[in-house]
Amino acid sequence: QVQLVESGGGLVQTGGSLRLSCASSGRTFSDVTMGWFRQAPGKEREFVASIGWRGDVTYYADSVKGRFTISRDNAKSTVYLQMNSLKPEDTADYYCAQSLRWRAITQDEYDYWGQGTQVTVSS
C-alpha cells in the first residue's frame, strides 16, 4: 500500500519561505516521478512542479518558476518543495503525488496522492 505523507505547511508572511516535505512508502521510490499540486479555496487543483526518477528532470508551473524548487532524496524516499518569495496567491492546500510516467504534469498521470498540507500566506 502506497502512502504519501506531506508536512511543512503553515502560516507565513508575504515574501517568506517554507519547505514542504512528502515521505513516501510502499513503492520503490526511485522508480517514480513525484509531483506537487495545489488547490486554493474555490479553485481547481493545479500542477505546481514535478521531478523525475533521478532528480535531473524537473518541470514547474509558470506561476512558481524561479521561486519554488522541487528536489528529492531517494535514500529517504522523500520529495521536497522549497517555496521562496511567497505571495498571498500561493495560499492553498498542497498535495504531493506519485506517477509511474517519466514525465507527468497532469493530475490524470498520477495514481497516488497525499492528504495535503495547508499553506497560508498573509499579506
Side-chain angles (χ1 to χ4, degrees), residues 58-89:
T58 58
Y59 296 95
Y60 295 93
D62 288 343
S63 58
V64 306
K65 211 171 285 185
R67 300 188 298 122
F68 290 11
T69 302
I70 189 171
S71 62
R72 65 191 293 161
D73 185 336
N74 285 351
K76 295 182 178 179
S77 297
T78 299
V79 64
Y80 305 97
L81 185 69
Q82 177 67 43
M83 306 186 295
N84 298 329
S85 302
L86 282 162
K87 306 174 182 180
E89 50 263 45

Side-chain angles (χ1 to χ4, degrees), residues 79-113:
V79 64
Y80 305 97
L81 185 69
Q82 177 67 43
M83 306 186 295
N84 298 329
S85 302
L86 282 162
K87 306 174 182 180
E89 50 263 45
D90 295 318
T91 295
D93 291 326
Y94 283 73
Y95 299 86
C96 71
Q98 206 169 83
S99 174
L100 291 174
R101 293 178 179 264
W102 74 271
R103 175 185 179 275
I105 60 171
T106 64
Q107 297 183 55
D108 291 346
E109 297 174 291
Y110 288 83
D111 53 359
Y112 288 100
W113 294 80

